Amino acid sequence: GFTLVELMIVLAIIAIVATLAIVNLSGATKVSNETAAVKTLRAIGEAQAVHRRQNPTFVALGAGFVDDAGVARVPALGAVALPTDHGYTFDDIAAPDANTYSFEAYPTSPGDSGDKHFIINQNGSVYRTTGNYLLAPLAVWPAGDPPAGFEKAE
């Protein structure tokens, strides 16, 4: 048979391996959430471009995007409460108008659901924080270059 010490060593090794697997899984979840946030912002940007070609203004995030046949292409993400998806919250940075829009995606549980803050405006490029997430949602984003601390997301 096995001695108590041998069994304790085996259990310690199993615990270490399980801990490493859980840490790697949580990192993969963050990356997956961040990738989903970027894809959602890009879909919003594409839908805004289509909407703007057919209408005089851009549309607010909660309004949703409907094509000529009345089919929702990017569904309304929520007009009352801040919409969330894959651990990220999406919000208007500023109210859309005829020439500009700006949206952001930030981790719903910073550090757990994601580490980056993402933004997009009418130029169609998605930007991410160069460090980790911001401590608060953005209040404004002028129509030009991204705010300090952001770089273009790949």
Side-chain angles (χ1 to χ4, degrees), residues 39-53 65 74 101 120 124:
K39 287 183 177 186
T40 300
L41 283 177
R42 285 193 175 125
I44 290 169
E46 290 169 10
Q48 283 284 20
V50 169
H51 180 83
R52 181 63 177 87
R53 283 193 296 269
F65 301 93
V74 175
Y101 71 86
I120 188 173

Side-chain angles (χ1 to χ4, degrees), residues 31-44 85-90 105-106 116 118 126:
V31 170
S32 173
N33 288 346
E34 291 171 357
T35 300
V38 169
K39 287 183 177 186
T40 300
L41 283 177
R42 285 193 175 125
I44 290 169
D85 185 38
H86 290 90
Y88 269 78
T89 299
F90 297 85
Y106 51 90
K116 299 288 182 187
F118 300 96
V126 176

Side-chain angles (χ1 to χ4, degrees), residues 16-88:
I16 291 170
V17 169
T19 301
L20 292 174
I22 290 172
V23 168
N24 286 337
L25 180 61
S26 99
T29 301
K30 283 183 195 179
V31 170
S32 173
N33 288 346
E34 291 171 357
T35 300
V38 169
K39 287 183 177 186
T40 300
L41 283 177
R42 285 193 175 125
I44 290 169
E46 290 169 10
Q48 283 284 20
V50 169
H51 180 83
R52 181 63 177 87
R53 283 193 296 269
Q54 301 170 356
N55 297 280
T57 63
F58 289 112
V59 65
L61 189 59
F65 301 93
V66 179
D67 66 13
D68 291 335
V71 177
R73 294 297 176 200
V74 175
L77 295 175
V80 180
L82 294 179
T84 60
D85 185 38
H86 290 90
Y88 269 78

